[in-house]
Coordinates of all heavy atoms in Angstrom, one line a residue:
M1 N 81.6 -55.0 -108.9 CA 81.1 -55.8 -107.8 C 79.5 -55.5 -107.7 O 79.1 -54.3 -107.7 CB 81.6 -55.3 -106.4 CG 82.5 -56.3 -105.7 SD 83.1 -55.5 -104.2 CE 84.1 -56.8 -103.8
R2 N 78.8 -56.5 -107.8 CA 77.3 -56.4 -108.0 C 76.7 -55.8 -106.7 O 75.7 -55.1 -106.7 CB 76.8 -57.7 -108.5 CG 75.3 -57.5 -108.8 CD 74.8 -58.7 -109.5 NE 73.4 -58.3 -109.9 CZ 72.7 -59.0 -110.6 NH1 73.1 -60.1 -111.2 NH2 71.5 -58.6 -111.0
H3 N 77.2 -56.2 -105.6 CA 76.5 -55.9 -104.2 C 76.7 -54.3 -104.0 O 76.0 -53.9 -103.1 CB 77.1 -56.7 -103.1 CG 78.5 -56.3 -102.8 ND1 79.6 -56.8 -103.4 CD2 79.0 -55.5 -101.8 CE1 80.7 -56.3 -102.9 NE2 80.3 -55.5 -101.8
R4 N 77.3 -53.6 -104.8 CA 77.4 -52.2 -104.5 C 76.1 -51.5 -105.2 O 75.9 -50.3 -105.0 CB 78.6 -51.6 -105.1 CG 79.8 -52.0 -104.3 CD 81.0 -51.3 -104.8 NE 82.2 -51.8 -104.0 CZ 83.4 -51.6 -104.3 NH1 83.8 -50.8 -105.4 NH2 84.5 -52.0 -103.6
H5 N 75.5 -52.1 -106.1 CA 74.4 -51.6 -106.8 C 73.1 -52.4 -106.5 O 73.2 -53.5 -106.0 CB 74.6 -51.6 -108.3 CG 75.8 -50.7 -108.6 ND1 77.1 -51.4 -108.7 CD2 75.9 -49.5 -109.0 CE1 77.9 -50.4 -109.1 NE2 77.2 -49.1 -109.3
L6 N 72.0 -51.8 -106.9 CA 70.7 -52.6 -106.7 C 69.9 -52.6 -108.0 O 69.0 -51.8 -108.3 CB 69.9 -51.9 -105.5 CG 68.6 -52.6 -105.2 CD1 68.9 -54.0 -104.6 CD2 67.8 -51.8 -104.2
P7 N 70.3 -53.6 -108.9 CA 69.6 -53.7 -110.2 C 68.2 -54.0 -109.9 O 67.7 -54.6 -109.0 CB 70.4 -54.8 -110.8 CG 71.7 -54.9 -110.2 CD 71.4 -54.5 -108.8
P8 N 67.3 -53.4 -111.0 CA 65.8 -53.7 -110.8 C 65.5 -55.2 -110.7 O 64.6 -55.5 -110.0 CB 65.3 -53.1 -112.1 CG 66.3 -52.1 -112.5 CD 67.7 -52.6 -112.0
A9 N 66.2 -56.1 -111.2 CA 66.0 -57.5 -111.1 C 66.3 -58.1 -109.7 O 65.8 -59.2 -109.4 CB 66.7 -58.3 -112.3
D10 N 67.2 -57.5 -109.0 CA 67.4 -58.0 -107.7 C 66.3 -57.9 -106.7 O 65.4 -57.1 -106.8 CB 68.7 -57.2 -107.1 CG 70.0 -57.7 -107.7 OD1 70.0 -58.5 -108.6 OD2 71.1 -57.2 -107.2
A11 N 66.4 -58.8 -105.7 CA 65.3 -58.8 -104.7 C 65.3 -57.5 -103.9 O 66.3 -56.9 -103.7 CB 65.6 -60.0 -103.7
F12 N 64.0 -57.1 -103.5 CA 63.9 -55.9 -102.7 C 63.0 -56.3 -101.5 O 62.0 -56.9 -101.8 CB 63.3 -54.8 -103.6 CG 63.2 -53.4 -102.9 CD1 64.3 -52.6 -102.9 CD2 62.1 -52.9 -102.5 CE1 64.3 -51.4 -102.3 CE2 61.9 -51.6 -102.0 CZ 63.1 -50.9 -101.8
P13 N 63.3 -55.8 -100.3 CA 62.4 -56.1 -99.2 C 61.0 -55.6 -99.4 O 60.7 -54.6 -99.8 CB 63.1 -55.4 -98.0 CG 64.4 -55.0 -98.5 CD 64.4 -54.9 -100.0
L14 N 60.0 -56.5 -99.0 CA 58.6 -56.1 -99.0 C 58.2 -55.1 -97.9 O 57.4 -54.3 -98.1 CB 57.7 -57.3 -98.9 CG 57.9 -58.4 -100.1 CD1 57.1 -59.5 -99.8 CD2 57.4 -57.7 -101.4
E15 N 58.9 -55.3 -96.7 CA 58.5 -54.4 -95.7 C 59.8 -53.7 -95.1 O 60.6 -54.2 -94.4 CB 57.9 -55.3 -94.6 CG 57.3 -54.5 -93.4 CD 56.2 -53.5 -93.8 OE1 55.3 -54.0 -94.6 OE2 56.3 -52.4 -93.6
L16 N 59.9 -52.5 -95.6 CA 61.1 -51.7 -95.2 C 61.1 -51.3 -93.7 O 62.2 -51.1 -93.1 CB 61.1 -50.4 -96.1 CG 61.3 -50.6 -97.5 CD1 61.3 -49.2 -98.2 CD2 62.7 -51.2 -97.7
A17 N 60.0 -51.3 -93.1 CA 59.9 -50.9 -91.7 C 60.5 -51.9 -90.7 O 61.0 -51.6 -89.6 CB 58.4 -50.7 -91.3
L18 N 60.8 -53.2 -91.3 CA 61.4 -54.2 -90.5 C 62.9 -54.1 -90.5 O 63.6 -54.8 -89.8 CB 60.9 -55.6 -91.0 CG 59.4 -55.9 -91.0 CD1 59.1 -57.2 -91.6 CD2 58.9 -55.8 -89.6
L19 N 63.5 -53.3 -91.3 CA 64.9 -53.2 -91.4 C 65.5 -52.3 -90.5 O 64.8 -51.3 -90.1 CB 65.3 -52.7 -92.9 CG 65.0 -53.5 -94.1 CD1 65.3 -52.7 -95.4 CD2 65.6 -54.9 -94.0
A20 N 66.7 -52.6 -90.0 CA 67.3 -51.7 -89.1 C 67.8 -50.6 -89.8 O 67.9 -50.5 -91.0 CB 68.7 -52.5 -88.5
D21 N 68.1 -49.4 -89.1 CA 68.5 -48.2 -89.8 C 69.7 -48.4 -90.7 O 69.8 -47.9 -91.8 CB 68.8 -47.1 -88.8 CG 67.5 -46.6 -88.1 OD1 66.4 -46.9 -88.5 OD2 67.7 -45.8 -87.1
S22 N 70.7 -49.2 -90.2 CA 71.9 -49.3 -91.0 C 71.6 -50.1 -92.2 O 72.2 -49.8 -93.3 CB 72.9 -50.1 -90.1 OG 72.4 -51.4 -89.7
E23 N 70.7 -51.1 -92.2 CA 70.3 -51.9 -93.4 C 69.6 -51.0 -94.4 O 69.9 -51.1 -95.6 CB 69.5 -53.1 -93.0 CG 70.1 -54.1 -92.2 CD 69.1 -55.2 -91.7 OE1 68.1 -54.8 -91.1 OE2 69.5 -56.4 -91.8
L24 N 68.7 -50.2 -93.9 CA 68.0 -49.3 -94.7 C 68.9 -48.3 -95.4 O 68.8 -48.0 -96.6 CB 66.9 -48.5 -93.9 CG 65.9 -47.6 -94.7 CD1 65.0 -48.5 -95.6 CD2 65.1 -46.8 -93.8
L25 N 69.8 -47.7 -94.7 CA 70.8 -46.8 -95.3 C 71.6 -47.4 -96.3 O 71.9 -46.9 -97.4 CB 71.6 -46.1 -94.2 CG 70.8 -45.1 -93.4 CD1 71.5 -44.7 -92.1 CD2 70.2 -43.9 -94.2
A26 N 72.0 -48.7 -96.1 CA 72.9 -49.3 -97.0 C 72.1 -49.7 -98.2 O 72.6 -49.5 -99.4 CB 73.4 -50.7 -96.4
L27 N 70.8 -50.1 -98.2 CA 69.9 -50.3 -99.3 C 69.8 -48.9 -100.2 O 69.8 -49.0 -101.3 CB 68.7 -50.9 -98.9 CG 67.8 -51.5 -99.8 CD1 68.5 -52.7 -100.6 CD2 66.4 -52.0 -99.2
Y28 N 69.6 -47.9 -99.4 CA 69.4 -46.6 -100.1 C 70.6 -46.3 -100.9 O 70.7 -45.8 -102.0 CB 69.1 -45.5 -99.0 CG 68.8 -44.2 -99.6 CD1 67.7 -43.9 -100.3 CD2 69.9 -43.1 -99.6 CE1 67.5 -42.6 -100.9 CE2 69.6 -42.0 -100.2 CZ 68.5 -41.7 -100.8 OH 68.2 -40.5 -101.4
G29 N 71.9 -46.5 -100.4 CA 73.1 -46.2 -101.0 C 73.2 -47.1 -102.2 O 73.7 -46.5 -103.3
R30 N 72.9 -48.3 -102.2 CA 72.9 -49.2 -103.3 C 72.0 -48.6 -104.4 O 72.3 -48.7 -105.6 CB 72.6 -50.7 -102.9 CG 73.7 -51.3 -102.1 CD 73.3 -52.8 -101.7 NE 73.1 -53.5 -102.8 CZ 72.3 -54.6 -102.9 NH1 71.6 -54.9 -101.8 NH2 72.2 -55.3 -104.0
A31 N 70.8 -48.3 -104.1 CA 69.8 -47.8 -104.9 C 70.3 -46.5 -105.7 O 70.1 -46.3 -106.9 CB 68.5 -47.7 -104.3
M32 N 71.0 -45.7 -104.9 CA 71.4 -44.4 -105.4 C 72.6 -44.7 -106.5 O 72.5 -44.0 -107.5 CB 71.9 -43.5 -104.4 CG 70.8 -42.8 -103.5 SD 69.8 -41.7 -104.6 CE 71.0 -40.6 -105.1
R33 N 73.5 -45.6 -106.0 CA 74.5 -46.0 -107.0 C 74.0 -46.5 -108.3 O 74.4 -46.4 -109.3 CB 75.5 -46.9 -106.3 CG 76.4 -46.2 -105.4 CD 77.6 -47.0 -104.9 NE 77.2 -48.1 -104.0 CZ 76.9 -47.9 -102.7 NH1 77.0 -46.7 -102.2 NH2 76.5 -48.9 -102.0
Q34 N 72.9 -47.4 -108.1 CA 72.2 -48.0 -109.3 C 71.6 -46.8 -110.2 O 71.7 -46.9 -111.3 CB 71.1 -49.0 -108.9 CG 70.4 -49.6 -110.0 CD 71.3 -50.4 -110.9 OE1 72.3 -51.0 -110.4 NE2 71.0 -50.5 -112.2
L35 N 71.0 -45.8 -109.5 CA 70.4 -44.7 -110.3 C 71.5 -44.0 -111.1 O 71.3 -43.7 -112.3 CB 69.7 -43.8 -109.3 CG 69.1 -42.5 -110.0 CD1 67.9 -42.7 -110.7 CD2 68.8 -41.5 -108.8
E36 N 72.6 -43.7 -110.5 CA 73.7 -43.0 -111.1 C 74.2 -43.9 -112.3 O 74.4 -43.3 -113.3 CB 74.8 -42.8 -110.1 CG 74.5 -41.7 -109.1 CD 75.5 -41.7 -107.9 OE1 76.5 -42.4 -108.0 OE2 75.4 -40.9 -107.0
R37 N 74.4 -45.2 -112.1 CA 74.9 -46.1 -113.1 C 73.9 -46.1 -114.3 O 74.3 -45.9 -115.5 CB 75.0 -47.6 -112.6 CG 75.2 -48.6 -113.6 CD 75.2 -49.9 -113.2 NE 76.5 -50.3 -112.8 CZ 76.9 -51.4 -112.2 NH1 75.9 -52.4 -112.0 NH2 78.1 -51.7 -111.9
E38 N 72.6 -46.2 -114.1 CA 71.6 -46.1 -115.2 C 71.5 -44.9 -115.9 O 71.4 -44.8 -117.1 CB 70.2 -46.5 -114.6 CG 70.0 -47.9 -114.1 CD 68.8 -48.2 -113.3 OE1 67.9 -47.2 -113.2 OE2 68.6 -49.3 -112.9
S39 N 71.7 -43.8 -115.1 CA 71.7 -42.4 -115.7 C 72.9 -42.2 -116.7 O 72.8 -41.7 -117.7 CB 71.8 -41.4 -114.7 OG 70.6 -41.4 -113.9
I40 N 74.1 -42.7 -116.2 CA 75.3 -42.6 -117.1 C 75.2 -43.6 -118.2 O 75.5 -43.2 -119.5 CB 76.5 -42.9 -116.2 CG1 76.7 -41.9 -115.2 CG2 77.8 -43.2 -117.1 CD1 77.8 -42.2 -114.1
Q41 N 74.8 -44.9 -118.1 CA 74.7 -45.8 -119.1 C 73.6 -45.6 -120.2 O 73.8 -45.8 -121.3 CB 74.7 -47.3 -118.6 CG 75.9 -47.7 -118.0 CD 75.7 -49.2 -117.4 OE1 74.7 -49.7 -117.2 NE2 76.9 -49.8 -117.2
F42 N 72.5 -45.3 -119.6 CA 71.2 -45.3 -120.5 C 70.6 -44.0 -120.6 O 69.7 -43.7 -121.3 CB 70.2 -46.3 -120.0 CG 70.7 -47.6 -119.7 CD1 70.7 -48.1 -118.4 CD2 71.2 -48.4 -120.7 CE1 71.2 -49.4 -118.1 CE2 71.8 -49.7 -120.4 CZ 71.7 -50.3 -119.1
G43 N 71.1 -42.9 -119.9 CA 70.6 -41.6 -120.0 C 69.4 -41.3 -119.2 O 68.9 -40.2 -119.1
A44 N 68.8 -42.5 -118.6 CA 67.7 -42.3 -117.7 C 67.5 -43.5 -116.8 O 68.1 -44.5 -117.0 CB 66.4 -42.2 -118.5
A45 N 66.9 -43.3 -115.7 CA 66.7 -44.3 -114.7 C 65.6 -45.4 -115.0 O 64.6 -45.0 -115.7 CB 66.5 -43.8 -113.3
D46 N 65.8 -46.6 -114.7 CA 64.8 -47.5 -114.9 C 63.5 -47.2 -113.9 O 63.8 -46.8 -112.7 CB 65.3 -48.9 -114.4 CG 64.3 -50.1 -114.7 OD1 63.3 -50.2 -113.9 OD2 64.5 -50.8 -115.7
P47 N 62.4 -47.3 -114.3 CA 61.2 -47.0 -113.4 C 61.2 -47.8 -112.1 O 60.9 -47.2 -111.1 CB 60.0 -47.3 -114.3 CG 60.4 -47.1 -115.7 CD 61.9 -47.6 -115.6
E48 N 61.7 -49.0 -112.1 CA 61.7 -49.8 -110.9 C 62.7 -49.1 -110.0 O 62.5 -49.1 -108.8 CB 62.1 -51.2 -111.2 CG 62.2 -52.1 -110.0 CD 60.8 -52.2 -109.2 OE1 59.7 -52.0 -109.8 OE2 60.8 -52.7 -108.1
T49 N 63.9 -48.6 -110.5 CA 64.9 -48.0 -109.6 C 64.3 -46.7 -109.0 O 64.5 -46.5 -107.8 CB 66.2 -47.7 -110.4 OG1 66.7 -49.0 -110.9 CG2 67.2 -47.1 -109.6
E50 N 63.7 -46.0 -109.7 CA 63.0 -44.7 -109.3 C 62.0 -45.1 -108.2 O 61.8 -44.4 -107.1 CB 62.4 -44.0 -110.3 CG 63.5 -43.3 -111.3 CD 62.9 -42.5 -112.4 OE1 61.7 -42.9 -112.9 OE2 63.5 -41.6 -112.9
F51 N 61.1 -46.0 -108.4 CA 60.1 -46.6 -107.5 C 60.8 -47.0 -106.1 O 60.4 -46.6 -105.1 CB 59.2 -47.6 -108.1 CG 58.2 -48.3 -107.1 CD1 57.0 -47.5 -106.8 CD2 58.5 -49.4 -106.4 CE1 56.2 -48.0 -105.8 CE2 57.6 -49.8 -105.4 CZ 56.5 -49.2 -105.2
R52 N 61.8 -47.8 -106.2 CA 62.5 -48.2 -105.0 C 63.1 -47.1 -104.2 O 63.0 -47.0 -103.1 CB 63.6 -49.3 -105.4 CG 63.0 -50.6 -105.8 CD 64.1 -51.5 -106.4 NE 63.6 -52.8 -106.6 CZ 64.4 -53.9 -106.9 NH1 65.6 -53.7 -106.9 NH2 63.9 -55.0 -107.1
L53 N 63.7 -46.1 -105.0 CA 64.3 -45.0 -104.3 C 63.2 -44.2 -103.5 O 63.4 -43.7 -102.4 CB 65.0 -44.1 -105.3 CG 66.4 -44.4 -105.5 CD1 67.0 -43.7 -106.7 CD2 67.3 -44.2 -104.2
E54 N 62.0 -44.0 -104.2 CA 60.9 -43.2 -103.5 C 60.4 -44.0 -102.2 O 60.2 -43.5 -101.2 CB 59.8 -43.1 -104.5 CG 58.6 -42.2 -104.0 CD 59.1 -40.9 -103.5 OE1 60.1 -40.3 -104.0 OE2 58.4 -40.2 -102.6
E55 N 60.3 -45.3 -102.3 CA 59.9 -46.1 -101.2 C 60.9 -46.0 -100.0 O 60.5 -45.8 -98.9 CB 59.8 -47.6 -101.6 CG 58.6 -47.9 -102.4 CD 57.3 -47.8 -101.7 OE1 57.1 -48.3 -100.7 OE2 56.4 -47.0 -102.3
L56 N 62.2 -46.0 -100.4 CA 63.3 -45.8 -99.3 C 63.3 -44.4 -98.7 O 63.4 -44.3 -97.6 CB 64.7 -46.1 -100.0 CG 64.9 -47.6 -100.4 CD1 66.1 -47.8 -101.3 CD2 65.2 -48.4 -99.1
R57 N 63.0 -43.4 -99.6 CA 63.0 -42.0 -99.2 C 61.8 -41.8 -98.1 O 61.9 -41.2 -97.2 CB 62.7 -41.0 -100.3 CG 64.1 -40.7 -101.0 CD 63.9 -39.6 -102.0 NE 64.9 -39.7 -102.9 CZ 64.9 -39.9 -104.2 NH1 63.7 -40.3 -104.7 NH2 66.0 -40.0 -105.0
V58 N 60.7 -42.5 -98.6 CA 59.5 -42.4 -97.7 C 59.7 -43.0 -96.3 O 59.4 -42.4 -95.2 CB 58.2 -43.0 -98.4 CG1 57.1 -43.2 -97.4 CG2 57.8 -42.1 -99.5
E59 N 60.3 -44.2 -96.3 CA 60.7 -44.9 -95.0 C 61.7 -44.0 -94.2 O 61.5 -43.8 -93.1 CB 61.1 -46.2 -95.3 CG 61.5 -47.0 -94.1 CD 60.4 -47.2 -93.0 OE1 59.1 -47.1 -93.4 OE2 60.7 -47.4 -91.8
L60 N 62.7 -43.5 -94.9 CA 63.7 -42.7 -94.2 C 63.1 -41.4 -93.6 O 63.3 -41.0 -92.5 CB 64.8 -42.3 -95.1 CG 65.8 -43.5 -95.4 CD1 66.7 -43.1 -96.6 CD2 66.6 -43.9 -94.2
D61 N 62.2 -40.8 -94.4 CA 61.5 -39.5 -93.8 C 60.5 -40.0 -92.6 O 60.4 -39.2 -91.7 CB 60.7 -39.0 -94.9 CG 61.5 -38.2 -96.0 OD1 62.7 -38.1 -95.7 OD2 60.9 -38.0 -97.1
R62 N 59.9 -41.1 -92.8 CA 59.1 -41.5 -91.6 C 59.8 -41.7 -90.4 O 59.5 -41.3 -89.2 CB 58.3 -42.8 -92.0 CG 57.3 -43.3 -91.0 CD 56.8 -44.7 -91.3 NE 57.9 -45.7 -91.0 CZ 58.2 -46.1 -89.8 NH1 57.7 -45.7 -88.7 NH2 59.2 -47.0 -89.8
R63 N 61.0 -42.3 -90.5 CA 61.9 -42.5 -89.3 C 62.5 -41.3 -88.8 O 62.5 -41.1 -87.6 CB 63.0 -43.5 -89.7 CG 62.5 -44.9 -89.9 CD 63.6 -45.8 -90.3 NE 63.1 -47.2 -90.6 CZ 63.8 -48.2 -90.6 NH1 65.1 -48.2 -90.2 NH2 63.2 -49.4 -91.0
D64 N 62.8 -40.3 -89.7 CA 63.2 -38.9 -89.2 C 62.2 -38.3 -88.4 O 62.5 -37.7 -87.4 CB 63.7 -38.2 -90.4 CG 65.0 -38.6 -91.0 OD1 65.8 -39.4 -90.4 OD2 65.4 -38.2 -92.1
S65 N 61.0 -38.2 -89.0 CA 59.8 -37.6 -88.3 C 59.6 -38.3 -86.8 O 59.4 -37.6 -85.9 CB 58.6 -37.7 -89.2 OG 58.7 -37.0 -90.4
R66 N 59.7 -39.6 -86.9 CA 59.4 -40.3 -85.7 C 60.5 -39.9 -84.6 O 60.3 -39.7 -83.5 CB 59.4 -41.9 -85.9 CG 59.3 -42.7 -84.6 CD 59.7 -44.1 -84.8 NE 61.2 -44.1 -85.1 CZ 61.8 -45.0 -85.7 NH1 61.2 -46.0 -86.2 NH2 63.1 -45.0 -86.0
D67 N 61.7 -39.9 -85.1 CA 62.8 -39.6 -84.1 C 62.8 -38.2 -83.7 O 63.0 -37.8 -82.5 CB 64.2 -39.8 -84.8 CG 64.4 -41.3 -85.1 OD1 63.8 -42.1 -84.5 OD2 65.4 -41.6 -85.9
A68 N 62.4 -37.3 -84.6 CA 62.3 -35.8 -84.1 C 61.1 -35.6 -83.2 O 61.3 -34.9 -82.2 CB 61.9 -35.0 -85.4
L69 N 60.0 -36.4 -83.3 CA 58.9 -36.3 -82.4 C 59.3 -36.8 -81.0 O 59.1 -36.2 -80.0 CB 57.7 -37.2 -82.9 CG 56.4 -37.1 -81.9 CD1 55.9 -35.7 -81.8 CD2 55.4 -38.0 -82.6
K70 N 60.1 -38.0 -81.0 CA 60.6 -38.5 -79.8 C 61.5 -37.5 -79.1 O 61.4 -37.3 -77.8 CB 61.3 -39.9 -80.0 CG 60.4 -41.1 -80.2 CD 61.3 -42.2 -80.5 CE 60.4 -43.4 -80.8 NZ 61.3 -44.6 -81.0
A71 N 62.4 -36.9 -79.8 CA 63.3 -35.9 -79.3 C 62.6 -34.8 -78.6 O 62.8 -34.2 -77.7 CB 64.3 -35.4 -80.3
S72 N 61.6 -34.2 -79.4 CA 60.7 -33.1 -78.8 C 60.0 -33.5 -77.5 O 60.0 -32.7 -76.7 CB 59.7 -32.6 -79.9 OG 60.3 -32.2 -81.0
K73 N 59.5 -34.7 -77.5 CA 58.8 -35.1 -76.4 C 59.8 -35.1 -75.1 O 59.4 -34.8 -74.0 CB 58.2 -36.4 -76.5 CG 56.9 -36.3 -77.3 CD 56.2 -37.8 -77.5 CE 55.0 -37.7 -78.3 NZ 54.4 -39.0 -78.5
R74 N 61.0 -35.6 -75.4 CA 62.0 -35.7 -74.4 C 62.3 -34.3 -73.9 O 62.5 -34.1 -72.6 CB 63.2 -36.4 -74.8 CG 63.1 -37.9 -74.8 CD 64.5 -38.6 -75.0 NE 65.2 -38.2 -76.2 CZ 65.1 -38.9 -77.3 NH1 64.2 -39.8 -77.5 NH2 65.7 -38.4 -78.4
R75 N 62.5 -33.4 -74.8 CA 62.8 -32.0 -74.4 C 61.7 -31.4 -73.5 O 62.0 -30.7 -72.5 CB 63.1 -31.1 -75.6 CG 64.5 -31.2 -76.2 CD 64.7 -30.1 -77.2 NE 63.9 -30.1 -78.3 CZ 64.0 -30.9 -79.4 NH1 65.0 -31.6 -79.5 NH2 63.1 -30.7 -80.4
I76 N 60.4 -31.6 -74.0 CA 59.3 -31.0 -73.2 C 59.2 -31.7 -71.9 O 58.9 -31.0 -70.9 CB 58.0 -31.3 -74.0 CG1 58.0 -30.4 -75.2 CG2 56.7 -31.1 -73.1 CD1 56.9 -30.7 -76.2
R77 N 59.4 -33.0 -71.8 CA 59.4 -33.6 -70.4 C 60.5 -33.0 -69.5 O 60.4 -32.8 -68.4 CB 59.6 -35.1 -70.5 CG 58.3 -35.9 -70.8 CD 58.5 -37.4 -70.6 NE 57.6 -38.0 -71.8 CZ 58.2 -38.5 -72.7 NH1 59.5 -38.8 -72.9 NH2 57.4 -39.1 -73.7
G78 N 61.6 -32.8 -70.1 CA 62.8 -32.2 -69.3 C 62.5 -30.8 -68.9 O 62.9 -30.4 -67.8
L79 N 61.6 -30.1 -69.6 CA 61.3 -28.6 -69.3 C 60.2 -28.6 -68.2 O 60.1 -27.8 -67.3 CB 60.9 -27.8 -70.5 CG 62.0 -27.5 -71.4 CD1 61.5 -26.9 -72.7 CD2 63.0 -26.6 -70.8
Y80 N 59.1 -29.5 -68.4 CA 57.9 -29.4 -67.6 C 57.6 -30.6 -66.8 O 56.5 -30.7 -66.2 CB 56.8 -29.2 -68.6 CG 57.0 -27.9 -69.4 CD1 57.2 -28.0 -70.8 CD2 57.0 -26.7 -68.8 CE1 57.5 -26.8 -71.4 CE2 57.3 -25.5 -69.5 CZ 57.5 -25.6 -70.9 OH 57.6 -24.5 -71.5
G81 N 58.5 -31.5 -66.6 CA 58.3 -32.6 -65.8 C 57.9 -33.9 -66.5 O 58.1 -34.0 -67.7
Q82 N 57.4 -34.8 -65.9 CA 57.0 -36.2 -66.5 C 55.9 -36.1 -67.4 O 55.1 -35.1 -67.5 CB 56.7 -37.1 -65.3 CG 57.9 -37.5 -64.4 CD 59.0 -38.1 -65.1 OE1 58.8 -38.9 -66.0 NE2 60.1 -37.7 -64.8
A83 N 55.7 -37.1 -68.1 CA 54.6 -37.2 -69.1 C 53.2 -36.9 -68.4 O 53.0 -37.4 -67.3 CB 54.5 -38.6 -69.7
G84 N 52.4 -36.3 -69.1 CA 51.1 -35.8 -68.5 C 51.2 -34.5 -67.8 O 50.2 -33.9 -67.6
S85 N 52.3 -33.9 -67.7 CA 52.4 -32.5 -67.0 C 52.1 -31.6 -68.2 O 52.5 -31.8 -69.3 CB 53.8 -32.3 -66.5 OG 54.1 -33.2 -65.4
E86 N 51.4 -30.5 -67.9 CA 51.2 -29.6 -68.9 C 52.0 -28.4 -68.7 O 52.4 -28.0 -67.6 CB 49.7 -29.0 -68.7 CG 48.7 -30.1 -69.1 CD 48.8 -30.5 -70.6 OE1 49.0 -29.6 -71.5 OE2 48.6 -31.7 -71.0
P87 N 52.5 -27.7 -69.8 CA 53.3 -26.5 -69.7 C 52.4 -25.4 -69.2 O 51.2 -25.4 -69.2 CB 53.7 -26.2 -71.2 CG 53.0 -27.1 -72.0 CD 52.3 -28.2 -71.2
P88 N 53.1 -24.4 -68.6 CA 52.3 -23.3 -67.9 C 51.6 -22.6 -69.0 O 51.9 -22.5 -70.2 CB 53.4 -22.4 -67.4 CG 54.7 -22.8 -68.0 CD 54.6 -24.2 -68.4
D89 N 50.4 -22.0 -68.6 CA 49.5 -21.2 -69.5 C 50.3 -20.1 -70.3 O 50.0 -19.8 -71.4 CB 48.3 -20.7 -68.8 CG 47.4 -21.6 -68.4 OD1 47.3 -22.7 -69.0 OD2 46.6 -21.5 -67.4
S90 N 51.2 -19.5 -69.6 CA 52.0 -18.4 -70.2 C 52.7 -18.8 -71.5 O 53.1 -18.0 -72.3 CB 53.0 -17.8 -69.2 OG 54.0 -18.8 -68.9
L91 N 53.0 -20.2 -71.6 CA 53.7 -20.7 -72.8 C 52.8 -20.3 -74.0 O 53.3 -20.2 -75.2 CB 54.0 -22.1 -72.7 CG 54.7 -22.8 -73.8 CD1 56.2 -22.2 -73.8 CD2 54.8 -24.2 -73.6
Y92 N 51.5 -20.4 -73.8 CA 50.5 -20.3 -74.9 C 50.1 -18.9 -75.2 O 49.3 -18.6 -76.0 CB 49.3 -21.2 -74.8 CG 49.8 -22.7 -74.7 CD1 49.6 -23.4 -73.5 CD2 50.2 -23.3 -75.8 CE1 49.9 -24.7 -73.5 CE2 50.5 -24.6 -75.8 CZ 50.4 -25.3 -74.6 OH 50.7 -26.6 -74.6
A93 N 50.5 -17.9 -74.4 CA 50.1 -16.6 -74.4 C 50.3 -16.0 -75.9 O 51.4 -16.1 -76.4 CB 50.7 -15.7 -73.4
G94 N 49.2 -15.4 -76.5 CA 49.3 -14.9 -77.8 C 49.2 -15.9 -78.9 O 49.3 -15.6 -80.1
D95 N 49.0 -17.2 -78.6 CA 49.0 -18.2 -79.7 C 47.6 -18.4 -80.1 O 47.2 -19.1 -81.0 CB 49.4 -19.6 -79.1 CG 51.0 -19.6 -78.9 OD1 51.6 -18.7 -79.4 OD2 51.5 -20.5 -78.3
Y96 N 46.5 -17.7 -79.6 CA 45.2 -17.9 -79.9 C 44.8 -17.2 -81.2 O 45.1 -16.2 -81.6 CB 44.2 -17.4 -78.8 CG 44.5 -18.1 -77.5 CD1 45.2 -17.5 -76.4 CD2 44.1 -19.5 -77.3 CE1 45.3 -18.2 -75.2 CE2 44.3 -20.2 -76.3 CZ 44.9 -19.6 -75.1 OH 45.2 -20.3 -74.0

């Protein structure tokens, strides 16, 4: 089944940021299966496959960082009140 892999000749989205998380993860899975297939069949990956995987990793890392930052902000708001509230000075004691 061809749709389980992402051959270098197949179309690849120009703007990964526009994809939903589920679409991005599915594309990453297809690219990983393609990498495995190329490694087994040819002993090495096609440069296009490696490039695509790196682009996908960068986008996934960007989203993970964004989500972690949002979660941190929610935790801080929960501890210290609404946005714009500052944590007490004692929180920073010894950080200088």
Side-chain angles (χ1 to χ4, degrees):
M1 249 181 189
R2 190 169 185 172
H3 71 278
R4 291 185 182 168
H5 299 89
L6 185 62
D10 281 8
F12 189 76
L14 294 176
E15 189 58 52
L16 295 175
L18 300 177
L19 297 177
D21 287 350
S22 59
E23 294 171 311
L24 187 67
L25 290 169
L27 195 61
Y28 182 76
R30 290 179 60 206
M32 284 299 298
R33 284 189 291 279
Q34 182 64 31
L35 177 73
E36 291 170 1
R37 172 186 268 181
E38 292 169 1
S39 296
I40 291 168
Q41 286 182 339
F42 308 116
D46 185 288
E48 181 65 19
T49 299
E50 289 179 331
F51 175 78
R52 288 174 171 189
L53 272 169
E54 183 60 21
E55 290 291 308
L56 290 162
R57 281 187 197 110
V58 167
E59 179 61 21
L60 287 167
D61 288 347
R62 185 190 70 77
R63 291 181 188 199
D64 286 346
S65 294
R66 178 199 64 201
D67 293 345
L69 180 60
K70 285 180 182 178
S72 292
K73 287 181 178 180
R74 280 194 302 272
R75 276 193 303 276
I76 290 170
R77 277 192 219 111
L79 291 172
Y80 302 109
Q82 294 302 315
S85 295
E86 291 295 322
D89 290 336
S90 62
L91 184 68
Y92 298 110
D95 288 347
Y96 299 106

